[in-house]
Amino acid sequence: MIFENIPEIKYEGAQSKNPLAFKFYDADKMVLGKPMKEHLPFAMAWWHNLGAAGTDMFGRDTADKSFGAVKGTMEHAKAKVDAGFEFMQKLGIRYFCFHDVDLVPEADDIKETNRRLDEISDYILVKMKKTGIKCLWGTANLFSNPRYMNGAGSSNSADVFAFAAAQIKKAIDLTVKFGGKGYVFWGGREGYETLLNTDMKFEQENIARLMHMAVDYGRRIGFKGDFYIEPKPKEPMKHQYDYDAATAIGFLKNYGLDKDFKLNIEANHATLAGHTFEHDLRVSAMNGMLGSIDANQGDPHLGWDTDEFPFDVYSATFCMLEVLRAGGLTGGFNFDAKSRRPSYTQEDMFESFILGMDTFALGLMKAAAIIEDGRIDGFVKEKYSGYKKGIGRKIVKGQVGLEDLAEYADKLGAPELPGSGKQEALEEIVNQIMFG
Ligand code: XUL
Ligand code: CO
């Protein structure tokens, strides 16, 4: 056992003072006719939870994530698997997400890296069968190695493009081997530092070529899940091509990829793009492309991707409103989040997930209550009711043009002001449901 002093985490209710217990996440509690755990398929991100140990630009690791083995060895890769499965089991987390090089140390030769991946994936598969834990999605890390300094699909080097393709092929193989629900493309370094040295059109065409190759290969080997783009506006590049949900959807439609791709929306990426989390969820959902979520949060006072565990219950509530209205996710909620650098103990690892899971449990319950209350949805429905009758109905049905409307306006005189937006009253309803 790796987390010897940590018990199985149980639901103890809102009054519990036990830091190693859920206060709100009650896996089997029914919400809108479905158990919480079905509404909230949580996933552990291999890279943060089993890898990130606190290194930042100014200092080295604070946490010990060796799990009793020497880092950079296959023994350590296996210790991470042991730690990860024990961790997920103790929390009741049913999915994980991974990059290829989260699983094994990368070798100089891709044949050796792939051999290591075969070995570790056999080991993981045994654990998956034993525990029932599943894979939410896989991806390839096409941004850490110096070869990707100019991107992967967008690289000026055809050899780097080919190498990225090889990594993607193997990562799709692994995702299929694990029965993963999705395969993610986060842009990584697909973007630019300056337009002075960039052929933007060519780079975007090449990214689309690489994605088409991934779809062709994945479908050929029997991958039935969704491919995802995970939008992010900046960091590491100054500008990233998958800026936000709307941009990524435009790109997918432009290059004929929209039937195979959906979006994986990350809260901190949406806020970096100057949007709310719920904005990017809404844009995805209204295009039928809301696939999965990277559940984290940023810091409004910092301009970068802080990847914090979700704490903001308002944000989680607005997220869950979008998810419930969309009929749920085909993917899940991946905690792409890391404990703060001074939170370096094993207890902190668990307490971070408890915070995230409880925040989303609250968000789910409050969103369900807002839907059941009906006043907010009712207001929005009523707000547009002028299009259900008279001239509004004709506009929506495409029965009138500019001349008809000009004639109508002549007779109308000055239109009445539209009804009040009622923002404050609606916010009061939200607070009443949150705290009443
Ligand atoms: C980076 C990020 C990635 C993706 C997977 O900001 O979110 O970890 O989720 O590559
Ligand atoms: Co992410």
Side-chain angles (χ1 to χ4, degrees):
M1 240 206 281
I2 286 168
F3 304 103
E4 267 173 26
N5 298 323
I6 312 280
E8 200 180 302
I9 309 299
K10 300 217 170 72
Y11 168 72
E12 290 187 2
Q15 303 311 317
S16 169
K17 299 231 162 55
N18 176 2
L20 292 173
F22 295 118
K23 321 298 181 297
F24 303 103
Y25 181 66
D26 181 4
D28 295 315
K29 184 186 161 96
M30 299 297 279
V31 178
L32 297 178
K34 228 166 59 169
M36 256 192 194
K37 63 174 184 232
E38 302 298 326
H39 282 288
L40 298 170
F42 291 127
M44 177 194 77
W46 211 271
W47 52 102
H48 282 312
N49 200 45
L50 306 173
T55 290
D56 69 10
M57 274 97 94
F58 302 98
R60 57 179 187 271
D61 286 354
T62 54
D64 177 8
K65 298 232 172 139
S66 63
F67 306 120
V70 179
K71 279 187 163 184
T73 62
M74 280 305 279
E75 190 207 350
H76 181 235
K78 285 193 180 143
K80 280 164 72 179
V81 178
D82 296 341
F85 277 84
E86 185 188 329
F87 184 88
M88 289 186 276
Q89 270 192 302
K90 285 189 164 160
L91 278 156
I93 299 256
R94 297 179 302 133
Y95 294 91
F96 64 89
C97 299
F98 71 97
H99 301 81
D100 47 0
V101 299
D102 301 332
L103 302 183
V104 294
E106 191 178 12
D108 291 336
D109 173 5
I110 191 169
K111 287 200 247 32
E112 171 57 14
T113 307
N114 287 349
R115 192 204 60 74
R116 292 178 187 177
L117 286 168
D118 290 338
E119 186 185 330
I120 205 74
S121 53
D122 287 344
Y123 190 64
I124 291 174
L125 214 49
V126 173
K127 296 258 179 192
M128 290 176 72
K129 291 208 174 112
K130 216 185 274 172
T131 59
I133 289 170
K134 300 192 175 80
C135 172
L136 185 65
W137 53 256
T139 187
N141 178 325
L142 307 177
F143 44 90
S144 294
N145 192 294
R147 75 176 76 93
Y148 295 121
M149 64 172 72
N150 291 342
S154 64
S155 177
N156 55 306
S157 159
D159 283 353
V160 170
F161 184 109
F163 202 95
Q167 265 189 263
I168 291 170
K169 176 176 178 290
K170 189 66 183 176
I172 294 175
D173 287 341
L174 293 172
T175 304
V176 170
K177 181 168 175 178
F178 293 150
K181 285 183 169 203
Y183 183 85
V184 164
F185 281 84
W186 166 54
R189 294 182 195 269
E190 312 289 33
Y192 64 80
E193 297 293 349
T194 170
L195 278 179
L196 288 174
N197 64 13
T198 304
D199 184 341
M200 197 199 286
K201 183 166 185 287
F202 181 70
E203 290 197 359
Q204 294 209 9
E205 286 165 0
N206 259 2
I207 294 169
R209 285 187 187 100
L210 190 56
M211 287 181 174
H212 272 294
M213 289 178 200
V215 171
D216 290 347
Y217 177 72
R219 297 306 179 215
R220 198 147 17 91
I221 66 162
F223 175 59
K224 300 211 165 50
D226 290 316
F227 288 88
Y228 301 124
I229 281 187
E230 182 180 321
K232 184 175 181 180
K234 56 186 169 192
E235 201 205 341
M237 301 307 260
K238 172 195 158 83
H239 176 87
Q240 310 232 158
Y241 295 136
D242 300 324
Y243 194 92
D244 59 3
T247 312
I249 290 168
F251 170 86
L252 291 171
K253 290 193 172 166
N254 197 16
Y255 291 102
L257 288 156
D258 51 310
K259 298 287 169 287
D260 292 283
F261 273 79
K262 290 194 167 79
L263 298 190
N264 179 39
I265 297 298
E266 176 163 327
N268 203 167
H269 295 179
T271 51
L272 280 178
H275 305 309
T276 59
F277 183 20
E278 59 271 23
H279 169 92
D280 260 19
L281 295 169
R282 176 76 62 94
V283 170
S284 309
M286 74 189 210
N287 283 283
M289 291 168 96
L290 176 55
S292 204
I293 284 177
D294 270 14
N296 64 8
Q297 71 177 47
D299 185 316
H301 304 288
L302 299 173
W304 63 91
D305 196 11
T306 58
D307 281 345
E308 292 170 37
F309 277 87
F311 163 62
D312 182 337
V313 178
Y314 280 102
S315 172
T317 301
F318 295 139
C319 163
M320 291 313 299
L321 260 180
E322 300 303 325
V323 170
L324 289 173
R325 286 172 178 150
L329 299 175
T330 49
F333 297 81
N334 169 43
F335 288 114
D336 192 355
K338 55 183 183 230
S339 314
R340 295 305 85 191
R341 192 164 183 264
S343 304
Y344 62 92
T345 69
Q346 288 194 346
E347 283 78 11
D348 289 309
M349 288 173 73
F350 283 84
E351 287 161 15
S352 300
F353 272 73
I354 292 169
L355 170 68
M357 292 164 81
D358 269 345
T359 298
F360 268 85
L362 277 167
L364 168 66
M365 290 187 288
K366 296 301 173 187
I370 290 172
I371 289 173
E372 277 173 336
D373 174 87
R375 278 177 288 172
I376 290 182
D377 284 339
F379 175 83
V380 175
K381 198 165 170 221
E382 178 58 27
K383 182 176 173 191
Y384 299 96
S385 60
Y387 287 92
K388 292 264 182 282
K389 53 183 190 289
I391 194 70
R393 197 175 145 85
K394 287 188 181 155
I395 292 171
V396 171
K397 293 218 163 244
Q399 293 165 346
V400 286
L402 284 191
E403 287 116 314
D404 308 302
L405 294 180
E407 201 180 303
Y408 177 85
D410 276 348
K411 289 189 204 130
L412 185 68
E416 277 175 27
L417 288 179
S420 163
K422 291 276 175 212
Q423 179 170 334
E424 297 76 7
L426 297 174
E427 288 169 345
E428 173 72 0
I429 294 172
V430 171
N431 273 352
Q432 185 189 17
I433 292 171
M434 297 286 269
F435 302 105

